[in-house]
Amino acid sequence: MSPSVVSLGDLEGEPHAAVFPGEEPKTVRLTLDAGESVPAHRHPGRTVVCHVLSGEVDLSLGDGEVTVGGGEVARFDGGQDISPTAVEPSVALLVLAERTD
């Protein structure tokens, strides 16, 4: 497989933009304005890695919540309810990897 290089700023789609459409692992750029959120949803069978590139995002994960700031990375089970809310304008890169265990 040859390498693919993409400029995140050139991607189409708000708040979600597929980085490598149709390729695994599923990779998405998430862009949210302050106070904007994504309704609770799940990604069963996947582990999610969320790298906040800029801003700050509150991640509601199941019964808990974690705050992830610019430059920080969170990893979590996609089988629980997930709802990100931007504390300030934010951009994150999400990788949804198929679980192998």
Side-chain angles (χ1 to χ4, degrees), residues 34-73:
E36 188 176 10
S37 64
V38 175
H41 62 286
R42 295 176 182 213
H43 297 285
R46 296 199 180 250
T47 296
V48 181
V49 175
C50 174
H51 178 191
V52 175
L53 302 170
S54 63
E56 185 174 78
V57 176
D58 286 336
L59 286 173
S60 175
L61 302 171
D63 293 333
E65 187 172 290
V66 62
T67 300
V68 186
E72 295 182 321
V73 179

Side-chain angles (χ1 to χ4, degrees), residues 12-97:
E12 303 268 334
E14 299 287 333
H16 301 92
V19 178
F20 305 109
E23 299 288 329
E24 287 290 337
K26 184 175 181 181
T27 307
V28 177
R29 181 202 64 200
L30 177 66
T31 305
L32 298 172
D33 288 329
E36 188 176 10
S37 64
V38 175
H41 62 286
R42 295 176 182 213
H43 297 285
R46 296 199 180 250
T47 296
V48 181
V49 175
C50 174
H51 178 191
V52 175
L53 302 170
S54 63
E56 185 174 78
V57 176
D58 286 336
L59 286 173
S60 175
L61 302 171
D63 293 333
E65 187 172 290
V66 62
T67 300
V68 186
E72 295 182 321
V73 179
R75 184 181 70 189
F76 50 89
D77 180 1
Q80 62 191 323
D81 283 337
I82 303 161
S83 179
T85 301
V87 176
E88 56 190 65
S90 301
V91 177
L93 185 67
L94 303 167
V95 178
L96 294 82

